[in-house]
Amino acid sequence: MDLHVRYEGDDDPEKCTARKLARFDMTTLHDSPRSVPPGVVLDPHAERALSPADETDVLVALDCSWETADAEAFQLDGPHRALPFLVAGNPVSHGRPFRLNTAEAFAAGCYILGEQEQAEQIMSKFRWGHTFLELNQEPLRRYANCADSSEVVAVQQEYLDLADD
């Protein structure tokens, strides 16, 4: 799967997972929205959840600070999909639901779309990468076995109900 990043460059370059993935030739960084190829856009503001029904060869992520991650920032070509409930494993947002960094978002997207090996390769580039996969092993497996977005949302609801208890 080809991975592309609309790179804003407003985070600490030393902690930027998109830049690190680019150094390993695992993604391509784009500094303008026009240069990003169309693909499934991982967008936390999207109305539909990513599911295996979203067959694609291209995943697109926006790399920016969570403080600037408003809906307008995600105006990129392609169908927009939200990742379901997952917990961050990175040191900055560890344990926080829905606060994934770019590498975690790509790994989750690849996993849900049936590219588990690519997800593992992505996470292998980070000391904490195994933590993300371990924390989310069960939900990732369950989401990857769903038929469509509505099934993903139903599985997600189970995790949200548990979090409310």
Side-chain angles (χ1 to χ4, degrees):
M1 176 144 344
D2 287 340
L3 307 178
H4 293 269
V5 176
R6 168 64 181 99
Y7 180 66
E8 292 285 324
D10 54 0
D11 277 336
D12 181 348
E14 296 298 313
K15 296 178 183 173
C16 180
T17 62
R19 287 171 54 118
K20 186 168 187 173
L21 290 177
R23 284 195 304 272
F24 284 102
D25 291 324
M26 298 178 84
T27 189
T28 304
L29 302 181
H30 301 271
D31 55 8
S32 98
R34 291 183 306 283
S35 67
V36 179
V40 171
V41 178
L42 301 176
D43 178 350
H45 305 284
E47 294 185 17
R48 292 189 60 193
L50 182 70
S51 79
D54 293 307
E55 296 179 18
T56 185
D57 297 6
V58 178
L59 271 182
V60 177
L62 172 69
D63 186 273
C64 67
S65 167
W66 275 103
E67 283 72 41
T68 61
D70 57 8
E72 289 76 36
F74 287 89
Q75 292 187 357
L76 298 164
D77 288 337
H80 288 231
R81 299 291 184 262
L83 289 169
F85 177 86
L86 295 164
V87 178
N90 69 75
V92 175
S93 297
H94 186 272
R96 295 177 71 183
F98 299 108
R99 291 292 288 239
L100 309 183
N101 63 30
T102 303
E104 290 170 322
F106 274 145
C110 287
Y111 199 104
I112 291 168
L113 294 172
E115 301 291 335
Q116 289 87 353
E117 194 172 301
Q118 187 174 7
E120 291 169 6
Q121 287 175 329
I122 291 167
M123 289 290 88
S124 74
K125 302 302 179 195
F126 303 92
R127 282 178 280 121
W128 45 264
H130 64 87
T131 303
F132 173 74
L133 293 173
E134 289 166 9
L135 285 171
N136 296 291
Q137 181 178 14
E138 179 186 334
L140 283 169
R141 181 185 51 74
R142 290 185 67 199
Y143 297 142
N145 287 322
C146 291
D148 57 28
S149 182
S150 62
E151 282 188 23
V152 169
V153 171
V155 170
Q156 172 184 258
Q157 191 57 52
E158 293 177 30
Y159 292 105
L160 293 174
D161 290 344
L162 286 173
D164 287 341
D165 290 345

